[in-house]
Amino acid sequence: MTVAAPNPTISPLERPVTALYGVGPERAAQLGRLEILTVEDLLLHRPRRHEDRSNLRSIAELQLDQAAITHGKIVALGTKWFRKHTKSIFEIILDDGTARLHCRWWNLPYMERYFAVGDDVLVFGKPLGLKPRTIDHPETEVLEGGEENLVHLNRLTPIYPLTEGLPQRWLRSLIWRTLQAFESQIREPWPELTGRLSSGGKTGDPREVQVVKPTTPDTRRLTHNARHSTPDTRCLTLDTPFPTRARAIRMLHFPDTAQQPELARHRLALDEFIELQRRIQLRRRNFETKAQALPCPGDNRFIKPFLGRLGFKLTDAQTAVLRELRKDMCGQHPMRRLLQGDVGSGKTVVAACCALMALESGFSVALMAPTEILAEQHFLNFSNWFHPLALAVELRTGGRKIEDRGRRAEDNQSLLTNHRSPTSAHASRITHHPTLTIGTHTLIETGFAPDNLGLVIIDEQHKFGVAQREQLVRKGRYPHLLVMTATPIPRTLGLTLYGELDVSIITELPPGRGRLQTFVRAADRLPKVWEFMRSQLKAGRQAYVVYPRVEEDGGPKGLKAVTKEFENLRQALAPFRVGLLHGRLRQQEKESVMVAFRANRVQVLLATSLIEVGVDVPNATLMLIENAEQFGLAQLHQLRGRIGRGAQDSICILVAAAKSQQARQRLRVLEDTNDGFRIAEVDLQLRGPGELLGRQQSGLPKFRFGDLAQDLELIKLARELANQLVEPTLK
């Protein structure tokens, strides 16, 4: 292959695509829209699928509604217009000597310029009729002389994602020629992990690599099971070795068997995960070498009376997690820990104990929540808990600052100085009043400058970005960090998004909770649902009604909005009082309706997903969510977590207008289980990490080959192998 003169200062694979023969400015711009800027980008451009073009069917053999590939010469073509030239059909007619095939494109008249009578055209699609044989909007490719049998035909042929103006055939030929020229330049990124070459089974192929664990006495091959692999199976065993990176890239594009593309994806995904895990571990190790922990052992003078006044005993799971956190806060390095627990598992009480340990040790604490409602809920809870202990609690939201210091500052100072100090080393630091400050994003702003910050607690971490977390931590001198989430995190995300954090999980709910049941109902069942709600309200219970939108502002038809439904609901549920809560209300209005709902002066709270976190009213035992198909599973699980918080049984009713079977099956997962961890895994598989987290919140790189919904075993393996890379660099 002819290429432009190389630049000796860069790797051959780092050259721009314009260095390749046949890639001028126009083609380079088209490739750039596919994020293909370098030779390596081109080689890593992943096929969307492969067509088995070794088994072409004649047109006469095509079957109704069965996808197949065929080809023939164009004997006629043209565009038909109708409805006053507003609608069109472009059609080509192919003949291969056995029969004729009509290929049609609706309202795409420009397709006519891509074909000509006499062209030999390859067609892939499902026939919609056999009299005449017809395929609508098939995938097509005009065949030309030269490389057909080698690149385009008689093989498993790659089909790539394209952009406007970029032909499939041209891109496939370019990748073939580039691979021929540069395959020998593809190096193993992790030579330290590359063991001896393996035969790769019976093939004797020296292009297979055996990945080993040289640091363990029981050295075993950590390899991929290609023998039983299909595109839908993703598992790792000790049977067959991974291919080399160069071999994997060839298998990705031009495989010999149907299993090779998935095997290649696994190898290339492993490279991505190793690099991510290496960075995570280096960042963690570098942090530990620089950061000296603040001693926060506490002395139990606050925790002991706090636990005595709670009115309930901590669960075994809470106690076990608290021991882990105390050990971290007494350790050599600052605590960096993720606390997971399902809705209502008691994470807040555990966080309060950690805060008390820091306060006992003379350090201030900051707790950041994603919404003002949640911040205010925490402020109420912590004020009630800490008021008898004469500890200062502050609230900062939206520029406001509220203080609740319990006793006077002099009494607080006396309490701190007259009791036994945890250590003499930090006694001199208690020259201020250690304070718990609770707030929203305002804690990140420059106006918040806490004295002697010893512990940062972030609630509902998935609502914040990684940068925001670090910004708050930098308010102190390497304070301890406790990250909490009531949205259980799938294990793949736990090992990547939170890979530098230690993980603690509260695995049980407190005793004495009522049963929580969930039911999915169609919209035509709403009259019976409202009748049931009235019966619950008459029995003294309270209820939530949740809609996906604030106003009907031009979105999809059929979605209900709280502002329009408010009056309808007030009339339908009279004489019971209905309150309205959404994000566009003034803060004073939000506070007023929440106070009334907690006091049972409002029996029904009509709201958006704003109540997803931070609302805790044990008497509310019924929730109705309309247009439930508009929410993710994890979000629905969070919403229904607002009920079932008391001793009474609770019911969540999901009303869905979903017409597809898949959408209904997705919601039925919530009928089947209250296990948030299982729901999170299903949600990840259905929606993917990008939609589940949002790119800003995820802090994850964009993977070409890794699949966070499926590749748990690969990620665990990458974590082990990355540790082998990092350890020698630290010695």
Side-chain angles (χ1 to χ4, degrees), residues 609-637:
S609 59
L610 185 69
I611 63 165
E612 179 183 348
V613 293
V615 179
D616 186 359
V617 180
N619 190 52
T621 60
L622 180 62
M623 175 172 285
L624 167 64
I625 304 177
E626 289 215 50
N627 298 123
E629 72 278 2
Q630 297 296 316
F631 299 93
L633 291 183
Q635 189 176 28
L636 289 171
H637 180 61

PDB file of all heavy atoms in Angstrom, residues 609-637:
ATOM      1  N   SER A 609     -40.622  14.138  39.797  1.00  0.00           N
ATOM      2  CA  SER A 609     -39.597  13.264  40.383  1.00  0.00           C
ATOM      3  C   SER A 609     -38.717  14.015  41.376  1.00  0.00           C
ATOM      4  O   SER A 609     -37.761  13.440  41.904  1.00  0.00           O
ATOM      5  CB  SER A 609     -38.727  12.647  39.282  1.00  0.00           C
ATOM      6  OG  SER A 609     -38.085  13.659  38.525  1.00  0.00           O
ATOM      7  N   LEU A 610     -39.034  15.270  41.659  1.00  0.00           N
ATOM      8  CA  LEU A 610     -38.304  16.033  42.668  1.00  0.00           C
ATOM      9  C   LEU A 610     -38.293  15.313  44.012  1.00  0.00           C
ATOM     10  O   LEU A 610     -37.358  15.460  44.805  1.00  0.00           O
ATOM     11  CB  LEU A 610     -38.940  17.418  42.826  1.00  0.00           C
ATOM     12  CG  LEU A 610     -38.251  18.422  43.748  1.00  0.00           C
ATOM     13  CD1 LEU A 610     -36.930  18.865  43.141  1.00  0.00           C
ATOM     14  CD2 LEU A 610     -39.140  19.630  43.986  1.00  0.00           C
ATOM     15  N   ILE A 611     -39.319  14.508  44.282  1.00  0.00           N
ATOM     16  CA  ILE A 611     -39.408  13.800  45.573  1.00  0.00           C
ATOM     17  C   ILE A 611     -38.620  12.497  45.554  1.00  0.00           C
ATOM     18  O   ILE A 611     -38.717  11.709  46.489  1.00  0.00           O
ATOM     19  CB  ILE A 611     -40.864  13.508  45.955  1.00  0.00           C
ATOM     20  CG1 ILE A 611     -41.497  12.559  44.914  1.00  0.00           C
ATOM     21  CG2 ILE A 611     -41.662  14.784  46.080  1.00  0.00           C
ATOM     22  CD1 ILE A 611     -42.775  11.931  45.376  1.00  0.00           C
ATOM     23  N   GLU A 612     -37.842  12.266  44.494  1.00  0.00           N
ATOM     24  CA  GLU A 612     -37.081  11.020  44.381  1.00  0.00           C
ATOM     25  C   GLU A 612     -36.223  10.777  45.613  1.00  0.00           C
ATOM     26  O   GLU A 612     -36.030   9.640  46.039  1.00  0.00           O
ATOM     27  CB  GLU A 612     -36.202  11.091  43.125  1.00  0.00           C
ATOM     28  CG  GLU A 612     -35.342   9.885  42.886  1.00  0.00           C
ATOM     29  CD  GLU A 612     -34.462  10.065  41.666  1.00  0.00           C
ATOM     30  OE1 GLU A 612     -34.684  11.009  40.888  1.00  0.00           O
ATOM     31  OE2 GLU A 612     -33.533   9.251  41.503  1.00  0.00           O
ATOM     32  N   VAL A 613     -35.684  11.838  46.187  1.00  0.00           N
ATOM     33  CA  VAL A 613     -34.876  11.713  47.396  1.00  0.00           C
ATOM     34  C   VAL A 613     -35.316  12.790  48.380  1.00  0.00           C
ATOM     35  O   VAL A 613     -35.838  13.832  48.000  1.00  0.00           O
ATOM     36  CB  VAL A 613     -33.362  11.882  47.096  1.00  0.00           C
ATOM     37  CG1 VAL A 613     -32.851  10.727  46.264  1.00  0.00           C
ATOM     38  CG2 VAL A 613     -33.085  13.200  46.385  1.00  0.00           C
ATOM     39  N   GLY A 614     -35.109  12.522  49.669  1.00  0.00           N
ATOM     40  CA  GLY A 614     -35.239  13.562  50.674  1.00  0.00           C
ATOM     41  C   GLY A 614     -36.598  13.709  51.313  1.00  0.00           C
ATOM     42  O   GLY A 614     -36.782  14.587  52.133  1.00  0.00           O
ATOM     43  N   VAL A 615     -37.581  12.890  50.957  1.00  0.00           N
ATOM     44  CA  VAL A 615     -38.909  12.994  51.550  1.00  0.00           C
ATOM     45  C   VAL A 615     -39.153  11.740  52.384  1.00  0.00           C
ATOM     46  O   VAL A 615     -39.095  10.631  51.871  1.00  0.00           O
ATOM     47  CB  VAL A 615     -39.996  13.136  50.460  1.00  0.00           C
ATOM     48  CG1 VAL A 615     -41.369  13.223  51.095  1.00  0.00           C
ATOM     49  CG2 VAL A 615     -39.722  14.362  49.606  1.00  0.00           C
ATOM     50  N   ASP A 616     -39.430  11.933  53.668  1.00  0.00           N
ATOM     51  CA  ASP A 616     -39.585  10.809  54.589  1.00  0.00           C
ATOM     52  C   ASP A 616     -40.810  11.065  55.458  1.00  0.00           C
ATOM     53  O   ASP A 616     -40.734  11.757  56.469  1.00  0.00           O
ATOM     54  CB  ASP A 616     -38.326  10.654  55.436  1.00  0.00           C
ATOM     55  CG  ASP A 616     -38.370   9.396  56.306  1.00  0.00           C
ATOM     56  OD1 ASP A 616     -39.384   8.679  56.246  1.00  0.00           O
ATOM     57  OD2 ASP A 616     -37.393   9.143  57.024  1.00  0.00           O
ATOM     58  N   VAL A 617     -41.950  10.522  55.044  1.00  0.00           N
ATOM     59  CA  VAL A 617     -43.204  10.669  55.785  1.00  0.00           C
ATOM     60  C   VAL A 617     -43.763   9.263  55.995  1.00  0.00           C
ATOM     61  O   VAL A 617     -44.396   8.696  55.106  1.00  0.00           O
ATOM     62  CB  VAL A 617     -44.218  11.547  55.012  1.00  0.00           C
ATOM     63  CG1 VAL A 617     -45.512  11.690  55.810  1.00  0.00           C
ATOM     64  CG2 VAL A 617     -43.616  12.914  54.699  1.00  0.00           C
ATOM     65  N   PRO A 618     -43.537   8.664  57.172  1.00  0.00           N
ATOM     66  CA  PRO A 618     -43.949   7.265  57.387  1.00  0.00           C
ATOM     67  C   PRO A 618     -45.434   7.015  57.178  1.00  0.00           C
ATOM     68  O   PRO A 618     -45.823   5.891  56.834  1.00  0.00           O
ATOM     69  CB  PRO A 618     -43.534   7.010  58.839  1.00  0.00           C
ATOM     70  CG  PRO A 618     -42.409   7.965  59.085  1.00  0.00           C
ATOM     71  CD  PRO A 618     -42.766   9.197  58.305  1.00  0.00           C
ATOM     72  N   ASN A 619     -46.284   8.030  57.367  1.00  0.00           N
ATOM     73  CA  ASN A 619     -47.727   7.828  57.215  1.00  0.00           C
ATOM     74  C   ASN A 619     -48.153   7.753  55.751  1.00  0.00           C
ATOM     75  O   ASN A 619     -49.280   7.371  55.448  1.00  0.00           O
ATOM     76  CB  ASN A 619     -48.500   8.953  57.913  1.00  0.00           C
ATOM     77  CG  ASN A 619     -49.981   8.658  57.999  1.00  0.00           C
ATOM     78  OD1 ASN A 619     -50.375   7.589  58.460  1.00  0.00           O
ATOM     79  ND2 ASN A 619     -50.806   9.592  57.529  1.00  0.00           N
ATOM     80  N   ALA A 620     -47.256   8.110  54.821  1.00  0.00           N
ATOM     81  CA  ALA A 620     -47.571   8.022  53.391  1.00  0.00           C
ATOM     82  C   ALA A 620     -47.318   6.590  52.937  1.00  0.00           C
ATOM     83  O   ALA A 620     -46.180   6.127  52.902  1.00  0.00           O
ATOM     84  CB  ALA A 620     -46.716   9.003  52.601  1.00  0.00           C
ATOM     85  N   THR A 621     -48.393   5.882  52.613  1.00  0.00           N
ATOM     86  CA  THR A 621     -48.291   4.451  52.309  1.00  0.00           C
ATOM     87  C   THR A 621     -48.745   4.110  50.896  1.00  0.00           C
ATOM     88  O   THR A 621     -48.779   2.937  50.539  1.00  0.00           O
ATOM     89  CB  THR A 621     -49.138   3.637  53.304  1.00  0.00           C
ATOM     90  OG1 THR A 621     -50.508   4.055  53.191  1.00  0.00           O
ATOM     91  CG2 THR A 621     -48.648   3.832  54.724  1.00  0.00           C
ATOM     92  N   LEU A 622     -49.108   5.114  50.100  1.00  0.00           N
ATOM     93  CA  LEU A 622     -49.595   4.854  48.750  1.00  0.00           C
ATOM     94  C   LEU A 622     -48.913   5.800  47.773  1.00  0.00           C
ATOM     95  O   LEU A 622     -48.782   6.997  48.042  1.00  0.00           O
ATOM     96  CB  LEU A 622     -51.117   5.047  48.684  1.00  0.00           C
ATOM     97  CG  LEU A 622     -51.785   4.808  47.316  1.00  0.00           C
ATOM     98  CD1 LEU A 622     -51.597   3.370  46.871  1.00  0.00           C
ATOM     99  CD2 LEU A 622     -53.269   5.172  47.381  1.00  0.00           C
ATOM    100  N   MET A 623     -48.472   5.259  46.637  1.00  0.00           N
ATOM    101  CA  MET A 623     -47.882   6.083  45.582  1.00  0.00           C
ATOM    102  C   MET A 623     -48.459   5.659  44.242  1.00  0.00           C
ATOM    103  O   MET A 623     -48.530   4.472  43.920  1.00  0.00           O
ATOM    104  CB  MET A 623     -46.354   5.950  45.554  1.00  0.00           C
ATOM    105  CG  MET A 623     -45.702   6.689  44.387  1.00  0.00           C
ATOM    106  SD  MET A 623     -43.891   6.730  44.465  1.00  0.00           S
ATOM    107  CE  MET A 623     -43.636   7.952  45.742  1.00  0.00           C
ATOM    108  N   LEU A 624     -48.865   6.661  43.470  1.00  0.00           N
ATOM    109  CA  LEU A 624     -49.330   6.453  42.106  1.00  0.00           C
ATOM    110  C   LEU A 624     -48.382   7.202  41.177  1.00  0.00           C
ATOM    111  O   LEU A 624     -48.184   8.412  41.319  1.00  0.00           O
ATOM    112  CB  LEU A 624     -50.761   6.978  41.946  1.00  0.00           C
ATOM    113  CG  LEU A 624     -51.287   7.109  40.507  1.00  0.00           C
ATOM    114  CD1 LEU A 624     -51.380   5.743  39.841  1.00  0.00           C
ATOM    115  CD2 LEU A 624     -52.641   7.815  40.485  1.00  0.00           C
ATOM    116  N   ILE A 625     -47.791   6.496  40.224  1.00  0.00           N
ATOM    117  CA  ILE A 625     -46.891   7.110  39.245  1.00  0.00           C
ATOM    118  C   ILE A 625     -47.513   6.940  37.868  1.00  0.00           C
ATOM    119  O   ILE A 625     -47.652   5.812  37.380  1.00  0.00           O
ATOM    120  CB  ILE A 625     -45.488   6.471  39.276  1.00  0.00           C
ATOM    121  CG1 ILE A 625     -44.896   6.551  40.683  1.00  0.00           C
ATOM    122  CG2 ILE A 625     -44.567   7.150  38.268  1.00  0.00           C
ATOM    123  CD1 ILE A 625     -43.537   5.871  40.814  1.00  0.00           C
ATOM    124  N   GLU A 626     -47.910   8.054  37.253  1.00  0.00           N
ATOM    125  CA  GLU A 626     -48.477   7.990  35.908  1.00  0.00           C
ATOM    126  C   GLU A 626     -47.376   8.159  34.864  1.00  0.00           C
ATOM    127  O   GLU A 626     -46.339   8.771  35.124  1.00  0.00           O
ATOM    128  CB  GLU A 626     -49.552   9.061  35.737  1.00  0.00           C
ATOM    129  CG  GLU A 626     -50.826   8.760  36.530  1.00  0.00           C
ATOM    130  CD  GLU A 626     -52.067   9.216  35.782  1.00  0.00           C
ATOM    131  OE1 GLU A 626     -52.196   8.864  34.590  1.00  0.00           O
ATOM    132  OE2 GLU A 626     -52.871   9.933  36.397  1.00  0.00           O
ATOM    133  N   ASN A 627     -47.637   7.624  33.658  1.00  0.00           N
ATOM    134  CA  ASN A 627     -46.630   7.598  32.584  1.00  0.00           C
ATOM    135  C   ASN A 627     -45.334   6.986  33.108  1.00  0.00           C
ATOM    136  O   ASN A 627     -44.229   7.480  32.859  1.00  0.00           O
ATOM    137  CB  ASN A 627     -46.364   8.995  32.035  1.00  0.00           C
ATOM    138  CG  ASN A 627     -47.603   9.619  31.404  1.00  0.00           C
ATOM    139  OD1 ASN A 627     -48.032  10.701  31.807  1.00  0.00           O
ATOM    140  ND2 ASN A 627     -48.181   8.941  30.428  1.00  0.00           N
ATOM    141  N   ALA A 628     -45.467   5.884  33.824  1.00  0.00           N
ATOM    142  CA  ALA A 628     -44.307   5.268  34.474  1.00  0.00           C
ATOM    143  C   ALA A 628     -43.256   4.827  33.466  1.00  0.00           C
ATOM    144  O   ALA A 628     -42.077   4.710  33.811  1.00  0.00           O
ATOM    145  CB  ALA A 628     -44.751   4.075  35.328  1.00  0.00           C
ATOM    146  N   GLU A 629     -43.676   4.585  32.222  1.00  0.00           N
ATOM    147  CA  GLU A 629     -42.715   4.150  31.211  1.00  0.00           C
ATOM    148  C   GLU A 629     -41.693   5.231  30.877  1.00  0.00           C
ATOM    149  O   GLU A 629     -40.671   4.953  30.242  1.00  0.00           O
ATOM    150  CB  GLU A 629     -43.456   3.719  29.933  1.00  0.00           C
ATOM    151  CG  GLU A 629     -44.060   4.849  29.122  1.00  0.00           C
ATOM    152  CD  GLU A 629     -45.416   5.326  29.642  1.00  0.00           C
ATOM    153  OE1 GLU A 629     -45.875   4.801  30.674  1.00  0.00           O
ATOM    154  OE2 GLU A 629     -46.011   6.221  29.009  1.00  0.00           O
ATOM    155  N   GLN A 630     -41.941   6.468  31.311  1.00  0.00           N
ATOM    156  CA  GLN A 630     -41.018   7.566  31.032  1.00  0.00           C
ATOM    157  C   GLN A 630     -39.836   7.603  31.997  1.00  0.00           C
ATOM    158  O   GLN A 630     -38.892   8.360  31.783  1.00  0.00           O
ATOM    159  CB  GLN A 630     -41.766   8.908  31.108  1.00  0.00           C
ATOM    160  CG  GLN A 630     -42.870   9.060  30.087  1.00  0.00           C
ATOM    161  CD  GLN A 630     -42.345   9.067  28.671  1.00  0.00           C
ATOM    162  OE1 GLN A 630     -41.347   9.722  28.368  1.00  0.00           O
ATOM    163  NE2 GLN A 630     -43.001   8.335  27.783  1.00  0.00           N
ATOM    164  N   PHE A 631     -39.877   6.808  33.049  1.00  0.00           N
ATOM    165  CA  PHE A 631     -38.826   6.816  34.057  1.00  0.00           C
ATOM    166  C   PHE A 631     -37.943   5.578  33.905  1.00  0.00           C
ATOM    167  O   PHE A 631     -38.387   4.532  33.434  1.00  0.00           O
ATOM    168  CB  PHE A 631     -39.421   6.822  35.475  1.00  0.00           C
ATOM    169  CG  PHE A 631     -40.280   8.015  35.780  1.00  0.00           C
ATOM    170  CD1 PHE A 631     -41.643   7.973  35.583  1.00  0.00           C
ATOM    171  CD2 PHE A 631     -39.710   9.179  36.271  1.00  0.00           C
ATOM    172  CE1 PHE A 631     -42.443   9.063  35.872  1.00  0.00           C
ATOM    173  CE2 PHE A 631     -40.502  10.279  36.572  1.00  0.00           C
ATOM    174  CZ  PHE A 631     -41.870  10.228  36.366  1.00  0.00           C
ATOM    175  N   GLY A 632     -36.689   5.693  34.333  1.00  0.00           N
ATOM    176  CA  GLY A 632     -35.822   4.531  34.417  1.00  0.00           C
ATOM    177  C   GLY A 632     -36.204   3.667  35.603  1.00  0.00           C
ATOM    178  O   GLY A 632     -36.842   4.136  36.559  1.00  0.00           O
ATOM    179  N   LEU A 633     -35.808   2.398  35.562  1.00  0.00           N
ATOM    180  CA  LEU A 633     -36.163   1.485  36.645  1.00  0.00           C
ATOM    181  C   LEU A 633     -35.578   1.939  37.977  1.00  0.00           C
ATOM    182  O   LEU A 633     -36.246   1.888  39.007  1.00  0.00           O
ATOM    183  CB  LEU A 633     -35.672   0.072  36.314  1.00  0.00           C
ATOM    184  CG  LEU A 633     -36.370  -0.661  35.171  1.00  0.00           C
ATOM    185  CD1 LEU A 633     -35.807  -2.064  35.037  1.00  0.00           C
ATOM    186  CD2 LEU A 633     -37.876  -0.727  35.407  1.00  0.00           C
ATOM    187  N   ALA A 634     -34.306   2.352  37.962  1.00  0.00           N
ATOM    188  CA  ALA A 634     -33.673   2.783  39.208  1.00  0.00           C
ATOM    189  C   ALA A 634     -34.387   4.001  39.779  1.00  0.00           C
ATOM    190  O   ALA A 634     -34.552   4.133  40.996  1.00  0.00           O
ATOM    191  CB  ALA A 634     -32.194   3.081  38.975  1.00  0.00           C
ATOM    192  N   GLN A 635     -34.835   4.914  38.912  1.00  0.00           N
ATOM    193  CA  GLN A 635     -35.544   6.099  39.390  1.00  0.00           C
ATOM    194  C   GLN A 635     -36.906   5.715  39.957  1.00  0.00           C
ATOM    195  O   GLN A 635     -37.330   6.259  40.988  1.00  0.00           O
ATOM    196  CB  GLN A 635     -35.703   7.106  38.249  1.00  0.00           C
ATOM    197  CG  GLN A 635     -36.241   8.457  38.707  1.00  0.00           C
ATOM    198  CD  GLN A 635     -36.304   9.463  37.582  1.00  0.00           C
ATOM    199  OE1 GLN A 635     -36.452   9.110  36.418  1.00  0.00           O
ATOM    200  NE2 GLN A 635     -36.186  10.735  37.910  1.00  0.00           N
ATOM    201  N   LEU A 636     -37.605   4.803  39.315  1.00  0.00           N
ATOM    202  CA  LEU A 636     -38.882   4.334  39.857  1.00  0.00           C
ATOM    203  C   LEU A 636     -38.685   3.667  41.219  1.00  0.00           C
ATOM    204  O   LEU A 636     -39.501   3.833  42.134  1.00  0.00           O
ATOM    205  CB  LEU A 636     -39.542   3.357  38.884  1.00  0.00           C
ATOM    206  CG  LEU A 636     -40.102   3.956  37.584  1.00  0.00           C
ATOM    207  CD1 LEU A 636     -40.522   2.847  36.628  1.00  0.00           C
ATOM    208  CD2 LEU A 636     -41.281   4.886  37.876  1.00  0.00           C
ATOM    209  N   HIS A 637     -37.598   2.913  41.345  1.00  0.00           N
ATOM    210  CA  HIS A 637     -37.300   2.268  42.629  1.00  0.00           C
ATOM    211  C   HIS A 637     -37.038   3.323  43.702  1.00  0.00           C
ATOM    212  O   HIS A 637     -37.475   3.174  44.850  1.00  0.00           O
ATOM    213  CB  HIS A 637     -36.100   1.346  42.475  1.00  0.00           C
ATOM    214  CG  HIS A 637     -35.714   0.631  43.731  1.00  0.00           C
ATOM    215  ND1 HIS A 637     -36.561  -0.234  44.379  1.00  0.00           N
ATOM    216  CD2 HIS A 637     -34.558   0.658  44.465  1.00  0.00           C
ATOM    217  CE1 HIS A 637     -35.955  -0.708  45.461  1.00  0.00           C
ATOM    218  NE2 HIS A 637     -34.757  -0.184  45.532  1.00  0.00           N
TER     219      HIS A 637
END
